[in-house]
Amino acid sequence: MAPTPPEVPTELEVGRIGKPHGLGGEVRVDLWGDVAHLVPGALLTTDRGPLVVLGARGFQDRHLVRFEGVVDREGAEALRGVVLRAAPIERP
């Protein structure tokens, strides 16, 4: 009997939310995955529930990201340290 191949995870850790940037709800994100995970409308999962990306832009060696429902610094601060997960992106 042939050995069973290891299971491929359905989601990978792609980044971690850092500190807030400004007063409008943006957060700094250390991205370990593909930048395509940060396109507007992208769904990222966390231990606190799903987050939908509204917009993202490069900033120094990180990304500044705005998530749906996060409208102020307090909401952004509440996300500090949250790990972001997403499905792997298939590349041809």
Side-chain angles (χ1 to χ4, degrees), residues 1-2 9-12 16-19 21 25 33 35 39 41-42 45 51 53 55 62 64 68-69 73 83-84 90:
M1 182 172 203
T10 57
E11 289 189 324
L12 304 171
R16 180 182 308 271
I17 297 175
K19 65 183 184 176
H21 182 80
V35 73
V39 297
T45 59
L51 290 172
V53 175
R62 295 180 176 95
L64 296 180
E68 189 175 275
R73 188 173 184 90
V83 174
L84 303 169
E90 299 281 333

PDB file of all heavy atoms in Angstrom, residues 1-2 9-12 16-19 21 25 33 35 39 41-42 45 51 53 55 62 64 68-69 73 83-84 90:
ATOM      1  N   MET A   1       0.838  -1.176   0.000  1.00  0.00           N
ATOM      2  CA  MET A   1       0.000   0.000   0.000  1.00  0.00           C
ATOM      3  C   MET A   1       0.889   1.248   0.000  1.00  0.00           C
ATOM      4  O   MET A   1       1.830   1.363   0.775  1.00  0.00           O
ATOM      5  CB  MET A   1      -0.896  -0.015   1.242  1.00  0.00           C
ATOM      6  CG  MET A   1      -1.840   1.115   1.324  1.00  0.00           C
ATOM      7  SD  MET A   1      -2.964   0.799   2.719  1.00  0.00           S
ATOM      8  CE  MET A   1      -4.294   1.788   2.218  1.00  0.00           C
ATOM      9  N   ALA A   2       0.581   2.190  -0.890  1.00  0.00           N
ATOM     10  CA  ALA A   2       1.375   3.411  -1.027  1.00  0.00           C
ATOM     11  C   ALA A   2       1.104   4.363   0.138  1.00  0.00           C
ATOM     12  O   ALA A   2      -0.013   4.432   0.645  1.00  0.00           O
ATOM     13  CB  ALA A   2       1.030   4.102  -2.345  1.00  0.00           C
ATOM     14  N   PRO A   9      -2.532  22.447   3.379  1.00  0.00           N
ATOM     15  CA  PRO A   9      -3.454  23.310   4.118  1.00  0.00           C
ATOM     16  C   PRO A   9      -4.346  24.098   3.169  1.00  0.00           C
ATOM     17  O   PRO A   9      -3.918  24.503   2.090  1.00  0.00           O
ATOM     18  CB  PRO A   9      -2.528  24.241   4.906  1.00  0.00           C
ATOM     19  CG  PRO A   9      -1.206  24.155   4.238  1.00  0.00           C
ATOM     20  CD  PRO A   9      -1.147  22.827   3.544  1.00  0.00           C
ATOM     21  N   THR A  10      -5.604  24.281   3.564  1.00  0.00           N
ATOM     22  CA  THR A  10      -6.512  25.039   2.710  1.00  0.00           C
ATOM     23  C   THR A  10      -6.249  26.527   2.827  1.00  0.00           C
ATOM     24  O   THR A  10      -6.606  27.286   1.943  1.00  0.00           O
ATOM     25  CB  THR A  10      -7.977  24.751   3.092  1.00  0.00           C
ATOM     26  OG1 THR A  10      -8.163  25.058   4.465  1.00  0.00           O
ATOM     27  CG2 THR A  10      -8.325  23.313   2.824  1.00  0.00           C
ATOM     28  N   GLU A  11      -5.630  26.954   3.922  1.00  0.00           N
ATOM     29  CA  GLU A  11      -5.265  28.344   4.099  1.00  0.00           C
ATOM     30  C   GLU A  11      -3.851  28.436   4.662  1.00  0.00           C
ATOM     31  O   GLU A  11      -3.421  27.578   5.409  1.00  0.00           O
ATOM     32  CB  GLU A  11      -6.217  29.049   5.059  1.00  0.00           C
ATOM     33  CG  GLU A  11      -7.589  29.269   4.500  1.00  0.00           C
ATOM     34  CD  GLU A  11      -8.431  30.149   5.393  1.00  0.00           C
ATOM     35  OE1 GLU A  11      -8.309  30.045   6.629  1.00  0.00           O
ATOM     36  OE2 GLU A  11      -9.184  30.942   4.832  1.00  0.00           O
ATOM     37  N   LEU A  12      -3.183  29.500   4.277  1.00  0.00           N
ATOM     38  CA  LEU A  12      -1.832  29.744   4.742  1.00  0.00           C
ATOM     39  C   LEU A  12      -1.792  31.065   5.502  1.00  0.00           C
ATOM     40  O   LEU A  12      -2.562  31.979   5.196  1.00  0.00           O
ATOM     41  CB  LEU A  12      -0.876  29.843   3.551  1.00  0.00           C
ATOM     42  CG  LEU A  12      -0.844  28.666   2.585  1.00  0.00           C
ATOM     43  CD1 LEU A  12      -0.019  29.025   1.363  1.00  0.00           C
ATOM     44  CD2 LEU A  12      -0.282  27.447   3.278  1.00  0.00           C
ATOM     45  N   ARG A  16       0.635  39.613   9.218  1.00  0.00           N
ATOM     46  CA  ARG A  16       0.239  39.971  10.583  1.00  0.00           C
ATOM     47  C   ARG A  16      -0.025  41.472  10.621  1.00  0.00           C
ATOM     48  O   ARG A  16       0.725  42.260  10.056  1.00  0.00           O
ATOM     49  CB  ARG A  16       1.335  39.614  11.577  1.00  0.00           C
ATOM     50  CG  ARG A  16       0.975  39.970  13.015  1.00  0.00           C
ATOM     51  CD  ARG A  16       2.102  39.659  13.992  1.00  0.00           C
ATOM     52  NE  ARG A  16       2.597  38.300  13.890  1.00  0.00           N
ATOM     53  CZ  ARG A  16       2.111  37.245  14.566  1.00  0.00           C
ATOM     54  NH1 ARG A  16       1.107  37.406  15.394  1.00  0.00           N
ATOM     55  NH2 ARG A  16       2.631  36.058  14.420  1.00  0.00           N
ATOM     56  N   ILE A  17      -1.095  41.846  11.308  1.00  0.00           N
ATOM     57  CA  ILE A  17      -1.444  43.253  11.436  1.00  0.00           C
ATOM     58  C   ILE A  17      -0.578  43.883  12.514  1.00  0.00           C
ATOM     59  O   ILE A  17      -0.430  43.344  13.604  1.00  0.00           O
ATOM     60  CB  ILE A  17      -2.937  43.419  11.779  1.00  0.00           C
ATOM     61  CG1 ILE A  17      -3.796  42.855  10.636  1.00  0.00           C
ATOM     62  CG2 ILE A  17      -3.271  44.889  12.036  1.00  0.00           C
ATOM     63  CD1 ILE A  17      -5.285  42.862  10.916  1.00  0.00           C
ATOM     64  N   GLY A  18      -0.026  45.043  12.186  1.00  0.00           N
ATOM     65  CA  GLY A  18       0.802  45.799  13.122  1.00  0.00           C
ATOM     66  C   GLY A  18       0.024  46.966  13.703  1.00  0.00           C
ATOM     67  O   GLY A  18      -1.200  46.900  13.865  1.00  0.00           O
ATOM     68  N   LYS A  19       0.724  48.043  13.938  1.00  0.00           N
ATOM     69  CA  LYS A  19       0.104  49.188  14.593  1.00  0.00           C
ATOM     70  C   LYS A  19      -0.745  50.006  13.631  1.00  0.00           C
ATOM     71  O   LYS A  19      -0.578  49.929  12.409  1.00  0.00           O
ATOM     72  CB  LYS A  19       1.161  50.057  15.254  1.00  0.00           C
ATOM     73  CG  LYS A  19       2.125  50.726  14.316  1.00  0.00           C
ATOM     74  CD  LYS A  19       3.154  51.483  15.129  1.00  0.00           C
ATOM     75  CE  LYS A  19       4.093  52.246  14.209  1.00  0.00           C
ATOM     76  NZ  LYS A  19       5.039  53.051  14.964  1.00  0.00           N
ATOM     77  N   HIS A  21      -2.129  53.248  11.546  1.00  0.00           N
ATOM     78  CA  HIS A  21      -1.465  54.332  10.821  1.00  0.00           C
ATOM     79  C   HIS A  21      -2.471  55.457  10.662  1.00  0.00           C
ATOM     80  O   HIS A  21      -3.439  55.319   9.917  1.00  0.00           O
ATOM     81  CB  HIS A  21      -0.986  53.832   9.456  1.00  0.00           C
ATOM     82  CG  HIS A  21      -0.261  54.876   8.674  1.00  0.00           C
ATOM     83  ND1 HIS A  21       1.054  55.187   8.908  1.00  0.00           N
ATOM     84  CD2 HIS A  21      -0.678  55.676   7.684  1.00  0.00           C
ATOM     85  CE1 HIS A  21       1.419  56.141   8.077  1.00  0.00           C
ATOM     86  NE2 HIS A  21       0.385  56.453   7.326  1.00  0.00           N
ATOM     87  N   GLY A  25      -8.335  54.449  10.534  1.00  0.00           N
ATOM     88  CA  GLY A  25      -8.596  53.014  10.520  1.00  0.00           C
ATOM     89  C   GLY A  25      -7.599  52.181   9.739  1.00  0.00           C
ATOM     90  O   GLY A  25      -7.705  50.960   9.725  1.00  0.00           O
ATOM     91  N   GLY A  33       2.859  36.666   2.432  1.00  0.00           N
ATOM     92  CA  GLY A  33       2.318  36.013   1.245  1.00  0.00           C
ATOM     93  C   GLY A  33       2.390  36.937   0.037  1.00  0.00           C
ATOM     94  O   GLY A  33       3.085  37.946   0.026  1.00  0.00           O
ATOM     95  N   VAL A  35       1.250  39.711  -2.651  1.00  0.00           N
ATOM     96  CA  VAL A  35       0.555  41.000  -2.555  1.00  0.00           C
ATOM     97  C   VAL A  35      -0.862  40.900  -3.120  1.00  0.00           C
ATOM     98  O   VAL A  35      -1.729  41.701  -2.770  1.00  0.00           O
ATOM     99  CB  VAL A  35       1.381  42.118  -3.222  1.00  0.00           C
ATOM    100  CG1 VAL A  35       1.361  41.999  -4.736  1.00  0.00           C
ATOM    101  CG2 VAL A  35       0.910  43.483  -2.779  1.00  0.00           C
ATOM    102  N   VAL A  39      -5.696  42.754  -2.562  1.00  0.00           N
ATOM    103  CA  VAL A  39      -6.501  43.490  -3.541  1.00  0.00           C
ATOM    104  C   VAL A  39      -7.859  43.828  -2.922  1.00  0.00           C
ATOM    105  O   VAL A  39      -8.362  43.081  -2.075  1.00  0.00           O
ATOM    106  CB  VAL A  39      -6.694  42.699  -4.856  1.00  0.00           C
ATOM    107  CG1 VAL A  39      -5.366  42.464  -5.547  1.00  0.00           C
ATOM    108  CG2 VAL A  39      -7.429  41.407  -4.622  1.00  0.00           C
ATOM    109  N   GLY A  41     -11.502  43.857  -1.949  1.00  0.00           N
ATOM    110  CA  GLY A  41     -12.488  42.781  -1.994  1.00  0.00           C
ATOM    111  C   GLY A  41     -11.965  41.445  -1.527  1.00  0.00           C
ATOM    112  O   GLY A  41     -12.743  40.508  -1.325  1.00  0.00           O
ATOM    113  N   ALA A  42     -10.643  41.334  -1.328  1.00  0.00           N
ATOM    114  CA  ALA A  42     -10.060  40.066  -0.882  1.00  0.00           C
ATOM    115  C   ALA A  42     -10.553  39.737   0.526  1.00  0.00           C
ATOM    116  O   ALA A  42     -10.671  40.609   1.379  1.00  0.00           O
ATOM    117  CB  ALA A  42      -8.542  40.132  -0.894  1.00  0.00           C
ATOM    118  N   THR A  45      -8.995  35.525   6.500  1.00  0.00           N
ATOM    119  CA  THR A  45      -9.577  34.970   7.717  1.00  0.00           C
ATOM    120  C   THR A  45      -8.621  35.185   8.883  1.00  0.00           C
ATOM    121  O   THR A  45      -7.406  35.266   8.703  1.00  0.00           O
ATOM    122  CB  THR A  45      -9.902  33.468   7.561  1.00  0.00           C
ATOM    123  OG1 THR A  45      -8.711  32.767   7.251  1.00  0.00           O
ATOM    124  CG2 THR A  45     -10.934  33.242   6.482  1.00  0.00           C
ATOM    125  N   LEU A  51     -11.984  39.271   7.521  1.00  0.00           N
ATOM    126  CA  LEU A  51     -11.734  40.681   7.229  1.00  0.00           C
ATOM    127  C   LEU A  51     -11.734  40.854   5.718  1.00  0.00           C
ATOM    128  O   LEU A  51     -11.122  40.058   5.000  1.00  0.00           O
ATOM    129  CB  LEU A  51     -10.384  41.124   7.791  1.00  0.00           C
ATOM    130  CG  LEU A  51     -10.255  41.223   9.301  1.00  0.00           C
ATOM    131  CD1 LEU A  51      -8.800  41.479   9.696  1.00  0.00           C
ATOM    132  CD2 LEU A  51     -11.148  42.326   9.837  1.00  0.00           C
ATOM    133  N   VAL A  53     -10.687  43.300   2.589  1.00  0.00           N
ATOM    134  CA  VAL A  53      -9.786  44.393   2.245  1.00  0.00           C
ATOM    135  C   VAL A  53     -10.543  45.443   1.439  1.00  0.00           C
ATOM    136  O   VAL A  53     -11.183  45.133   0.429  1.00  0.00           O
ATOM    137  CB  VAL A  53      -8.585  43.873   1.424  1.00  0.00           C
ATOM    138  CG1 VAL A  53      -7.709  45.022   0.951  1.00  0.00           C
ATOM    139  CG2 VAL A  53      -7.784  42.853   2.211  1.00  0.00           C
ATOM    140  N   GLY A  55      -8.795  48.472   0.703  1.00  0.00           N
ATOM    141  CA  GLY A  55      -7.716  49.067  -0.070  1.00  0.00           C
ATOM    142  C   GLY A  55      -6.388  48.811   0.601  1.00  0.00           C
ATOM    143  O   GLY A  55      -6.321  48.555   1.800  1.00  0.00           O
ATOM    144  N   ARG A  62       6.461  47.697   4.317  1.00  0.00           N
ATOM    145  CA  ARG A  62       5.196  47.066   4.705  1.00  0.00           C
ATOM    146  C   ARG A  62       4.087  47.541   3.784  1.00  0.00           C
ATOM    147  O   ARG A  62       4.327  48.172   2.783  1.00  0.00           O
ATOM    148  CB  ARG A  62       4.856  47.423   6.155  1.00  0.00           C
ATOM    149  CG  ARG A  62       5.834  46.881   7.163  1.00  0.00           C
ATOM    150  CD  ARG A  62       5.434  47.260   8.569  1.00  0.00           C
ATOM    151  NE  ARG A  62       6.327  46.656   9.524  1.00  0.00           N
ATOM    152  CZ  ARG A  62       7.381  47.262  10.030  1.00  0.00           C
ATOM    153  NH1 ARG A  62       7.669  48.497   9.685  1.00  0.00           N
ATOM    154  NH2 ARG A  62       8.152  46.639  10.890  1.00  0.00           N
ATOM    155  N   LEU A  64       0.069  49.406   3.981  1.00  0.00           N
ATOM    156  CA  LEU A  64      -0.997  50.032   4.751  1.00  0.00           C
ATOM    157  C   LEU A  64      -2.298  49.509   4.191  1.00  0.00           C
ATOM    158  O   LEU A  64      -2.536  49.576   2.978  1.00  0.00           O
ATOM    159  CB  LEU A  64      -0.937  51.557   4.638  1.00  0.00           C
ATOM    160  CG  LEU A  64       0.304  52.209   5.226  1.00  0.00           C
ATOM    161  CD1 LEU A  64       0.234  53.724   5.038  1.00  0.00           C
ATOM    162  CD2 LEU A  64       0.477  51.867   6.689  1.00  0.00           C
ATOM    163  N   GLU A  68     -12.785  46.555   5.819  1.00  0.00           N
ATOM    164  CA  GLU A  68     -14.206  46.881   5.954  1.00  0.00           C
ATOM    165  C   GLU A  68     -14.602  46.888   7.429  1.00  0.00           C
ATOM    166  O   GLU A  68     -14.255  45.985   8.182  1.00  0.00           O
ATOM    167  CB  GLU A  68     -15.012  45.820   5.201  1.00  0.00           C
ATOM    168  CG  GLU A  68     -16.471  46.118   5.056  1.00  0.00           C
ATOM    169  CD  GLU A  68     -17.140  45.058   4.190  1.00  0.00           C
ATOM    170  OE1 GLU A  68     -17.101  45.204   2.950  1.00  0.00           O
ATOM    171  OE2 GLU A  68     -17.670  44.086   4.759  1.00  0.00           O
ATOM    172  N   GLY A  69     -15.303  47.937   7.840  1.00  0.00           N
ATOM    173  CA  GLY A  69     -15.799  48.032   9.202  1.00  0.00           C
ATOM    174  C   GLY A  69     -14.818  48.638  10.197  1.00  0.00           C
ATOM    175  O   GLY A  69     -15.177  48.870  11.349  1.00  0.00           O
ATOM    176  N   ARG A  73      -9.006  54.871  14.619  1.00  0.00           N
ATOM    177  CA  ARG A  73      -7.777  54.350  15.220  1.00  0.00           C
ATOM    178  C   ARG A  73      -8.073  53.291  16.283  1.00  0.00           C
ATOM    179  O   ARG A  73      -7.341  52.315  16.415  1.00  0.00           O
ATOM    180  CB  ARG A  73      -6.962  55.494  15.809  1.00  0.00           C
ATOM    181  CG  ARG A  73      -5.597  55.067  16.286  1.00  0.00           C
ATOM    182  CD  ARG A  73      -4.752  56.249  16.717  1.00  0.00           C
ATOM    183  NE  ARG A  73      -3.409  55.818  17.083  1.00  0.00           N
ATOM    184  CZ  ARG A  73      -2.391  55.740  16.245  1.00  0.00           C
ATOM    185  NH1 ARG A  73      -2.539  56.080  14.974  1.00  0.00           N
ATOM    186  NH2 ARG A  73      -1.212  55.335  16.667  1.00  0.00           N
ATOM    187  N   VAL A  83      -3.173  37.588  13.122  1.00  0.00           N
ATOM    188  CA  VAL A  83      -2.568  36.877  11.993  1.00  0.00           C
ATOM    189  C   VAL A  83      -3.606  36.737  10.887  1.00  0.00           C
ATOM    190  O   VAL A  83      -4.757  36.363  11.144  1.00  0.00           O
ATOM    191  CB  VAL A  83      -2.051  35.494  12.432  1.00  0.00           C
ATOM    192  CG1 VAL A  83      -1.565  34.687  11.241  1.00  0.00           C
ATOM    193  CG2 VAL A  83      -0.941  35.649  13.465  1.00  0.00           C
ATOM    194  N   LEU A  84      -3.186  37.037   9.663  1.00  0.00           N
ATOM    195  CA  LEU A  84      -4.066  36.958   8.491  1.00  0.00           C
ATOM    196  C   LEU A  84      -3.803  35.657   7.745  1.00  0.00           C
ATOM    197  O   LEU A  84      -2.652  35.275   7.527  1.00  0.00           O
ATOM    198  CB  LEU A  84      -3.794  38.144   7.562  1.00  0.00           C
ATOM    199  CG  LEU A  84      -3.956  39.524   8.191  1.00  0.00           C
ATOM    200  CD1 LEU A  84      -3.414  40.592   7.260  1.00  0.00           C
ATOM    201  CD2 LEU A  84      -5.410  39.773   8.534  1.00  0.00           C
ATOM    202  N   GLU A  90      -2.783  30.262  -6.867  1.00  0.00           N
ATOM    203  CA  GLU A  90      -2.227  29.414  -7.914  1.00  0.00           C
ATOM    204  C   GLU A  90      -1.549  30.296  -8.964  1.00  0.00           C
ATOM    205  O   GLU A  90      -2.142  31.246  -9.458  1.00  0.00           O
ATOM    206  CB  GLU A  90      -3.335  28.597  -8.591  1.00  0.00           C
ATOM    207  CG  GLU A  90      -4.067  27.669  -7.656  1.00  0.00           C
ATOM    208  CD  GLU A  90      -3.302  26.403  -7.356  1.00  0.00           C
ATOM    209  OE1 GLU A  90      -2.487  25.984  -8.207  1.00  0.00           O
ATOM    210  OE2 GLU A  90      -3.486  25.852  -6.277  1.00  0.00           O
TER     211      GLU A  90
END
